[in-house]
Amino acid sequence: MRSVEKIAASLREKGLKLTPQRRLIIEILSRDRTHPTVDEVYRQVVVTMPEVSRTTVYNTIREMATLGEVVEVQDISDGGIRYDTCAESHNHFFCLSCRSLIDVDVDLPGAESYSGALEGYQVVKQQLTLYGICPDCRDKGLSPPGRGAGKRGLKKF
């Protein structure tokens, strides 16, 4: 995870002003390790700056993604695109109940170990997403889909 100051300095080097709106969005993305969607960032922004539009948040995040300051993390649970300030290759855990997405530190075999299965392909990025129930949801008695859907009627993929 990159600090707010490092991202801000990088944006300045690329010719962008660090407006109060940009700074707030960077702060939210940096501290929210669940990799929020644009809507989730927007809901946090308007608490501090109610005059900021969803379009401003969307455009700012897209601009930072284009500049490589944030990366898109696909949420295949139909929750949309999430954003992360950590551009290095890393892995995730997705809670099927509360839909949180967090970074996890697990070792994966190198791309060369897949040479037989991927003959002719060139691997440029490797990312693993583990799916299950987080400790908070487990403590609330929630379970994965197909195993007694718990209180929330979890959606199957």
Side-chain angles (χ1 to χ4, degrees):
M1 172 176 68
R2 295 178 56 213
S3 74
V4 173
E5 294 311 318
K6 285 185 181 179
I7 294 171
S10 181
L11 290 175
R12 280 190 213 100
E13 287 172 11
K14 294 173 180 172
L16 293 176
K17 287 185 178 181
L18 187 61
T19 64
Q21 295 88 345
R22 279 191 183 127
R23 182 169 188 82
L24 179 59
I25 291 166
I26 292 167
E27 288 171 356
I28 290 168
L29 287 170
S30 293
R31 75 171 176 252
D32 189 338
R33 301 314 311 145
T34 66
H35 310 336
T37 64
V38 168
D39 286 336
E40 291 166 340
V41 172
Y42 172 68
R43 282 193 293 272
Q44 293 180 56
V45 165
V46 295
V47 169
T48 305
M49 294 182 170
E51 70 282 0
V52 174
S53 71
R54 184 186 181 286
T55 302
T56 296
V57 173
Y58 175 81
N59 289 340
T60 300
I61 292 174
R62 294 299 309 152
E63 183 176 49
M64 289 191 302
T66 300
L67 295 170
E69 299 304 324
V70 299
V71 293
E72 292 181 354
V73 178
Q74 298 297 326
D75 177 356
I76 63 171
S77 70
D78 79 8
I81 296 173
R82 295 169 176 248
Y83 295 90
D84 191 355
T85 57
C86 179
E88 292 127 23
S89 184
H90 62 283
N91 305 302
H92 298 99
F93 178 88
F94 180 79
C95 179
L96 296 165
S97 178
C98 67
R99 306 176 88 70
S100 63
L101 181 72
I102 62 165
D103 294 339
V104 292
D105 187 17
V106 294
D107 291 328
L108 293 177
E112 65 280 351
S113 67
Y114 303 114
S115 59
L118 296 172
E119 190 170 330
Y121 293 87
Q122 178 184 8
V123 176
V124 295
K125 182 179 178 183
Q126 181 172 302
Q127 184 178 60
L128 169 74
T129 302
L130 302 166
Y131 296 84
I133 301 295
C134 71
D136 288 342
C137 290
R138 187 190 64 231
D139 291 347
K140 293 175 187 171
L142 300 175
S143 59
R147 295 190 183 171
K151 301 174 192 167
R152 295 179 74 176
L154 300 176
K155 182 173 135 187
K156 290 188 179 185
F157 296 100

